[in-house]
């Protein structure tokens, strides 16, 4: 079967499933939780290791409660990501609200772009709906890492682009941002900056959740090089299926900051957010494998 045919079949299936009402999808999520947590035990050893190392002050009972809450949220995220294939802009705006959008729009009205530091927290997929809140001439850009599965990568790019967001593959970040700035375009550029660098690129370490971890500093370097403003996205889950994300300015002129201070402030804010609602962070990744 040709790749394009496979893609169309998969796309049509996902599209059909995405029309399932939220109420029913959350019922499916509740059932999926038991399968993922108790039967498949998807990455439970990694999740338990991450939680116990990050919160050594908590008892095993407390860790287990967070763990179960996380897996319930994890299956919700899977369902919510599926809805991205058909949800209307009106419904999306009702469920994913942005606070202080005017602040980041004011930055772009000055002719400056903004680096938005994010984490794998809350529903980061729904953040791609930001362009619905921007004005003409203002771009919503997201940096992503290409998946090895080409079909899944194509599907995800489709869902992330439905609300107007532009996806830039990580390896093409410098090229595309350079072109954007040379053309005089302004954007809010989302960087999920809490990923671990490759071992050979692990040069700068930060204190994060009881670990000394190597940090990706490329976002800070790009922010300074292109004279962008530094912002942070503080995410809250209001209730099931509803989120609120607040834009918080980290610094108006990051070039004035010492090297790595912007990265340090980002990690401090991310840690504070995680400690408030730890179940909303993505614990299934072996994020602390290069910790020292």
């Amino acid at each position: 079967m040709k790749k394009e045919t496979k893609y169309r079949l998969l796309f049509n299936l996902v599209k059909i499933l995405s029309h399932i009402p939220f109420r029913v999808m959350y019922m499916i999520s509740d059932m999926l939780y038991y399968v993922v947590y108790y039967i498949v035990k998807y990455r439970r050893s990694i999740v338990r290791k991450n939680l116990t190392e990050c919160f050594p002050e908590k008892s095993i009972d407390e860790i287990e409660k967070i763990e179960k809450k996380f897996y319930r949220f994890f299956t919700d995220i899977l369902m919510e990501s599926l809805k991205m294939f058909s949800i209307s802009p009106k419904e999306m705006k009702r469920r994913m609200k942005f606070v202080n959008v005017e602040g980041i729009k004011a930055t772009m009205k000055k002719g400056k772009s903004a680096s938005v530091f994010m984490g794998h927290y809350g529903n980061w997929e729904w953040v791609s709906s930001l362009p619905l809140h921007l004005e003409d001439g203002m771009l919503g850009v997201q940096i992503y890492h290409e998946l090895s599965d080409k079909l899944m990568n194509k599907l995800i790019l489709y869902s992330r682009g439905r609300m107007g967001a532009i996806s830039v593959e990580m390896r093409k970040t410098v090229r595309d941002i350079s072109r954007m700035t040379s053309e005089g375009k302004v954007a809010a550029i989302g960087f999920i900056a809490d990923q671990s660098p490759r071992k050979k690129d692990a040069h700068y370490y930060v204190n994060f959740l009881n670990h000394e971890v190597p940090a990706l500093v490329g976002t800070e370097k790009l922010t300074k090089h292109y004279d962008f403003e530094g912002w942070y996205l503080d995410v809250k889950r209001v209730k099931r299926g509803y989120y609120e994300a607040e834009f918080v300015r980290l610094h108006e002129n990051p070039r004035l900051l010492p090297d790595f201070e912007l990265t340090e402030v980002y990690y401090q804010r991310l840690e504070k957010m995680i400690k408030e609602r730890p179940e909303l962070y993505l614990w299934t990744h072996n994020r602390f494998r290069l910790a020292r």
Side-chain angles (χ1 to χ4, degrees), residues 119-138:
H120 286 90
Y121 185 91
N123 193 331
W124 59 89
E125 292 291 341
W126 282 11
V127 174
S128 64
S129 65
L130 174 62
L132 297 177
H133 303 264
L134 301 179
E135 299 177 10
D136 289 344
M138 297 179 180

Side-chain angles (χ1 to χ4, degrees), residues 52-207:
T52 52
E53 288 182 358
C54 291
F55 303 104
E57 76 283 1
K58 295 187 183 297
S59 67
I60 290 300
D61 286 343
E62 290 175 306
I63 292 294
E64 191 171 303
K65 285 179 182 177
I66 295 172
E67 185 178 86
K68 289 179 178 179
K69 284 182 178 180
F70 160 70
Y71 276 97
R72 287 189 180 278
F73 177 65
F74 179 72
T75 53
D76 277 2
I77 282 287
L78 295 178
M79 295 296 103
E80 290 170 4
S81 297
L82 184 62
K83 288 296 288 184
M84 283 291 289
F85 285 82
S86 62
I87 191 170
S88 70
K90 182 179 179 180
E91 181 70 4
M92 188 79 262
K93 289 177 77 172
R94 194 171 71 86
R95 290 177 172 271
M96 184 74 206
K97 295 185 179 296
F98 290 93
V99 179
N100 195 24
V101 177
E102 292 306 316
I104 206 158
K105 283 162 65 174
T107 293
M108 287 188 274
K109 285 177 181 178
K110 293 186 298 185
K112 295 188 71 171
S113 291
S115 291
V116 183
F117 288 71
M118 299 166 50
H120 286 90
Y121 185 91
N123 193 331
W124 59 89
E125 292 291 341
W126 282 11
V127 174
S128 64
S129 65
L130 174 62
L132 297 177
H133 303 264
L134 301 179
E135 299 177 10
D136 289 344
M138 297 179 180
L139 305 179
V141 177
Q142 53 196 358
I143 309 301
Y144 78 100
H145 190 279
E146 186 177 27
L147 300 178
S148 56
D149 188 317
K150 301 299 183 183
L151 292 182
M152 288 304 299
N153 192 70
K154 193 173 180 179
L155 280 175
I156 289 174
L157 287 179
Y158 170 83
S159 70
R160 290 176 179 174
R162 281 193 67 239
M163 303 297 166
I166 299 169
S167 294
V168 173
E169 209 282 318
M170 188 180 295
R171 291 168 298 182
K172 300 175 182 176
T173 302
V174 174
R175 185 199 69 181
D176 287 7
I177 289 180
S178 295
R179 181 169 57 199
M180 181 190 76
T181 53
S182 67
E183 293 173 353
K185 296 176 180 178
V186 290
I189 307 170
F191 296 86
I192 298 183
D194 60 338
Q195 302 178 58
S196 294
R198 295 173 297 180
K199 190 172 183 179
K200 67 177 183 177
D201 297 324
H203 304 306
Y204 185 75
Y205 285 72
V206 297
N207 235 318

Side-chain angles (χ1 to χ4, degrees), residues 18-73:
S18 72
H19 283 282
I20 297 173
F22 271 102
R23 179 177 57 84
V24 178
M25 291 196 98
Y26 286 127
M27 292 172 61
I28 296 172
S29 178
D30 288 340
M31 293 184 287
L32 189 58
Y33 157 72
Y34 284 97
V35 174
V36 172
Y37 185 74
Y38 289 105
I39 300 174
V40 178
K41 297 182 179 180
Y42 177 68
R43 297 197 175 186
R44 270 182 57 178
S45 60
I46 292 177
V47 172
R48 178 62 63 90
K49 178 177 181 290
N50 286 341
L51 288 173
T52 52
E53 288 182 358
C54 291
F55 303 104
E57 76 283 1
K58 295 187 183 297
S59 67
I60 290 300
D61 286 343
E62 290 175 306
I63 292 294
E64 191 171 303
K65 285 179 182 177
I66 295 172
E67 185 178 86
K68 289 179 178 179
K69 284 182 178 180
F70 160 70
Y71 276 97
R72 287 189 180 278
F73 177 65

Side-chain angles (χ1 to χ4, degrees), residues 224 251-259 261:
K224 289 183 173 183
H251 204 278
E252 189 170 354
N253 188 356
R255 285 179 170 178
L256 299 177
L257 297 175
D259 286 347
E261 185 169 325

